[in-house]
Amino acid sequence: MILNDIGNVIKKEWENTSLIRSNVEVGEFVIMPDHFHAILFIGVVTTNCNSLLRSHLPTNEITKFESPKGNTLGSIVRGFKNACTKIIRKEIGYTDFQWQANYYDRIIRNQTELINIENYIIENPLKWKNKAQ
């Protein structure tokens, strides 16, 4: 996907999610023309969280969960949408910008599911291109 100004704001703010929340890591994501897919790890503590995200640890890898410290999925999404909306409306001047009210969430329960969902996210732009033809 080639992002426009709005897409670039969304990308930057999503990448900032793990920078402003110590117990959150961003996984695969893609910004589409009319929707957004993302994997978010909340409360996973490892010695190197990026290795968890990038190397697909074996299913027997032990991970420890800590309290989300107020960083529920709802508060994370709400903060992300608010930040994007303010920037898009004020700095880009797209005053009519608004998000869909709800979002779809799913708990990823194992390594196989994680890999399948990551592949879906990675391949989504190609499916969009084929859908448009």
Side-chain angles (χ1 to χ4, degrees), residues 14-15 28 45 51 56 58 65-66 70-72 82 97 112-113 116-117 123:
W14 188 251
E15 290 171 339
E28 287 293 338
V45 179
S51 67
H56 304 298
F65 290 88
E66 65 179 25
N71 284 330
T72 64
N82 272 338
F97 180 81
T112 301
E113 249 186 289
N116 288 340
I117 293 169
E123 294 168 2

Side-chain angles (χ1 to χ4, degrees), residues 1 32 121-132:
M1 283 289 155
M32 301 296 291
I121 289 170
I122 292 166
E123 294 168 2
N124 203 252
L126 182 59
K127 292 176 185 176
W128 181 270
K129 179 183 171 190
N130 290 339
K131 182 174 112 174

Side-chain angles (χ1 to χ4, degrees), residues 55-71:
S55 66
H56 304 298
L57 294 174
T59 54
N60 64 350
E61 180 70 26
I62 297 172
T63 57
K64 175 184 167 191
F65 290 88
E66 65 179 25
S67 168
K69 298 178 186 170
N71 284 330

Side-chain angles (χ1 to χ4, degrees), residues 8-65:
N8 284 320
V9 168
I10 293 168
K11 179 179 187 286
K12 180 182 177 205
E13 291 306 312
W14 188 251
E15 290 171 339
N16 284 341
T17 299
S18 61
L19 299 176
I20 61 176
R21 294 173 176 87
S22 63
N23 67 320
V24 174
E25 286 293 327
V26 172
E28 287 293 338
F29 70 94
V30 65
I31 301 161
M32 301 296 291
D34 64 353
H35 65 282
F36 173 69
H37 293 284
I39 295 174
L40 194 63
F41 297 90
I42 303 173
V44 177
V45 179
T46 64
T47 55
N48 181 353
C49 232
N50 285 335
S51 67
L52 170 67
L53 298 174
R54 305 291 181 250
S55 66
H56 304 298
L57 294 174
T59 54
N60 64 350
E61 180 70 26
I62 297 172
T63 57
K64 175 184 167 191
F65 290 88

